[in-house]
Amino acid sequence: MTEPERFIRVHHAGPLRGEVLVPGAKNSVLKLMAASLLADGTFEITNVPGIVDVGIMAELLRAIGAEVIETPDYGVVTITNSGGLTPVAPFELVQKIRASINVLGPLLTRCGEVTIAMPGGDDFGTRPIDMHIAGLEAMGATFEFDGGTVMARADRLHGAEITFDFPSVGATENILTAAVLANGQTIIHNAAREPEIIDLCEFLNEMGAQVRGAGTSTLRIDGVEPGALHGCEHETVPDRIQAATYIAACAVTGGELDLLNAQSKHMEMVLSRFRDMGLEIESLPYGLRVAAPERLRSTDVATLPYPGIATDYKPLIITMLAVADGVGVVTENLYPGRFAYVEELQRLGADIKTDGHHALIRGVDRLIGAPVLSHDIRAGAAMVVAGLAAEGTTTITGVHHIDRGYDDLVGRLKRVGAEIERIGC
Ligand code: EPZ
């Protein structure tokens, strides 16, 4: 069979050992970059992961009129705004990443209008923005829709009391940033509580905003005048999903790893489930130490908004359960359609049955290497983990998905003993 042009090749190797430095979080840094549009000044964001999505967000901000300098070798992005923004987010950029929708709140509240295409990103079926729109309408915005483009207007947004049906991450972020310059106080009930939301709240307060309640389900934002905001410096929170990816890689190879910079306080639920599977996990002042058992034990998992187990961990967990001892049931409560990668794991010999938003995983003694496809960012990383567990050689295509959210996954795994390489990419 001819090998594809661009792919990752993984050979089964022994236990992984050593240290992995966990990079900054994609799902925080992209929102920090978008929030910088709220004010003139210079913003220096550090601990920025070397991922494709950062480059796309930088391009989007430049198209809107910001000056963006990326210094990937130092993990720094410097954004300078000096007025004259064009509140139009071009389709060709917006359709590449979901986080592009995060320019909606800052541009609407700062410029009084914004034109943006419906966002793209990972395909989990429908990903509506109705809660974003309803929240901004409650603050006085009006919306027009034309062929997949959203046009929003508001002379000046006013404070409002908003209760979400569901603690949406994106809707919380857009209402939060819009409220920073609104007239009066905004209260968000049933707000998202993810560590990345806390990171955004801290960034906003560092630039002069007045946000209270970060990390709780009630956020209070007292609107300020544009002149009260200014540039700032901010270190991005570590990426808990990337940290979990290295834990999964350690788990399926029977290894022992130190994860530098990983923060156990951001991962309590999933770490407790990993302990149920037999992993020894120790919090260290500078990160986490993980040691894997001879064989993982099965367990059941349900995905939930934070502090529950994030849906982004799920492809990794299902891959671990595929080689665990016993039967596990995994329930997806956020994106019912997020099981596309299961057929790839079945190609490696996994025994998994899905039914609606449930998956039943009967652990097998061994997986066998084969060609598999990355369906999205997290599914792609799970294929790499599966390749580390599988006998023989696994080749993974769709590498561009992985590069969107992982900073040198192959290099970091290689440095702790994985037999892995990128071919043609
Ligand atoms: C963020 O997506 C993350 N993306 C996702 O990570 C993550 O899976 C998700 O939060 C949940 O944790 C980014 O931060 C860029 P939501 P987001 O709004 O903001 C429904 C990754 O791999 N909903 O919390 O889009 C929605 O359909 C990505 O890094 C509405 O119905 O998530 C979904 O079922 C994948 N209407 C649920 O809520 C709305 O207006 C959660 O969505 C908004 C959301």
Side-chain angles (χ1 to χ4, degrees):
M1 199 204 73
T2 52
E3 287 191 329
E5 263 160 53
R6 295 155 40 87
F7 61 100
I8 289 174
R9 180 161 47 205
V10 190
H11 298 288
H12 177 66
L16 301 184
R17 293 199 193 292
E19 294 179 345
V20 175
L21 174 62
V22 175
K26 166 182 87 78
N27 290 346
S28 179
V29 72
L30 300 176
K31 320 315 176 49
L32 304 178
M33 292 171 72
S36 73
L37 292 169
L38 281 166
D40 284 347
T42 296
F43 300 84
E44 185 168 288
I45 303 174
T46 59
N47 198 27
V48 174
I51 59 174
V52 168
D53 278 18
V54 165
I56 297 171
M57 183 58 85
E59 249 188 278
L60 179 57
L61 297 188
R62 291 188 193 105
I64 292 169
E67 187 198 317
V68 185
I69 300 168
E70 297 167 80
T71 331
D73 295 351
Y74 298 97
V76 176
V77 165
T78 310
I79 301 166
T80 303
N81 296 322
S82 40
L85 297 182
T86 309
V88 177
F91 170 76
E92 57 280 1
L93 291 170
V94 167
Q95 52 98 18
K96 290 183 181 166
I97 58 173
R98 174 79 182 176
S100 55
I101 195 67
N102 283 73
V103 302
L104 173 63
L107 287 177
L108 183 58
T109 199
R110 178 170 180 184
C111 309
E113 62 172 310
V114 53
T115 302
I116 181 167
M118 286 295 284
D122 285 342
D123 176 12
F124 305 146
T126 58
R127 299 180 74 183
I129 58 168
D130 55 313
M131 285 190 245
H132 303 233
I133 291 168
L136 292 168
E137 282 176 336
M139 299 172 73
T142 57
F143 284 83
E144 284 171 50
F145 304 90
D146 177 16
T149 297
V150 181
M151 279 86 71
R153 283 182 209 297
D155 293 337
R156 180 170 184 198
L157 293 173
H158 55 73
E161 188 148 3
I162 296 162
T163 303
F164 287 148
D165 298 341
F166 184 91
S168 154
V169 169
T172 299
E173 293 161 341
N174 257 328
I175 304 305
L176 170 60
T177 48
V180 165
L181 289 174
N183 187 7
Q185 182 179 76
T186 298
I187 304 175
I188 306 175
H189 296 290
N190 199 19
R193 301 161 54 192
E194 274 73 359
E196 297 78 26
I197 297 281
I198 298 174
D199 208 29
L200 176 59
C201 291
E202 287 169 3
F203 178 72
L204 293 172
N205 284 342
E206 283 155 7
M207 72 159 76
Q210 295 186 10
V211 179
R212 286 168 290 146
T216 76
S217 47
T218 303
L219 291 175
R220 289 174 198 281
I221 307 103
D222 293 309
V224 299
E225 295 304 316
L229 299 180
H230 47 77
C232 64
E233 292 177 11
H234 185 87
E235 179 178 346
T236 313
V237 74
D239 195 321
R240 58 196 167 105
I241 316 293
Q242 291 200 54
T245 305
Y246 295 106
I247 295 175
C250 176
V252 300
T253 60
E256 193 168 323
L257 289 179
D258 278 4
L259 302 181
L260 311 183
N261 238 8
Q263 299 207 12
S264 54
K265 66 177 180 185
H266 295 161
M267 306 173 72
E268 281 169 5
M269 266 304 190
V270 75
L271 295 182
S272 121
R273 207 42 56 83
F274 285 157
R275 289 188 179 97
D276 294 344
M277 295 174 81
L279 283 154
E280 281 169 35
I281 301 174
E282 191 192 339
S283 296
L284 301 169
Y286 53 78
L288 285 176
R289 175 162 296 159
V290 183
E294 188 79 16
R295 175 116 195 244
L296 295 168
R297 289 191 298 270
S298 278
T299 186
D300 297 339
V301 172
T303 65
L304 287 168
Y306 194 87
I309 292 184
T311 173
D312 300 341
Y313 294 131
K314 195 193 63 200
L316 302 165
I317 292 172
I318 289 190
T319 303
M320 292 164 72
L321 291 172
V323 291
D325 180 16
V327 178
V329 176
V330 171
T331 303
E332 170 59 59
N333 289 312
L334 276 87
Y335 300 107
R338 200 175 182 179
F339 282 116
Y341 51 87
V342 166
E343 64 188 56
E344 306 302 324
L345 290 173
Q346 290 164 338
R347 216 187 291 282
L348 298 169
D351 180 351
I352 306 174
K353 293 187 180 40
T354 59
D355 176 14
H357 60 157
H358 298 290
L360 180 91
I361 305 103
R362 201 181 298 283
V364 296
D365 295 342
R366 62 202 183 104
L367 296 176
I368 308 290
V372 291
L373 172 66
S374 311
H375 285 271
D376 57 56
I377 300 172
R378 309 304 167 185
M383 292 308 109
V384 169
V385 171
L388 292 168
E391 288 179 10
T393 303
T394 300
T395 55
I396 301 150
T397 49
V399 178
H400 60 283
H401 287 294
I402 297 173
D403 292 341
R404 281 195 47 211
Y406 283 85
D407 179 338
D408 191 21
L409 177 65
V410 168
R412 286 170 210 264
L413 287 169
K414 213 172 193 163
R415 286 191 285 279
V416 291
E419 272 193 48
I420 185 169
E421 57 199 321
R422 294 173 69 105
I423 311 289
C425 57

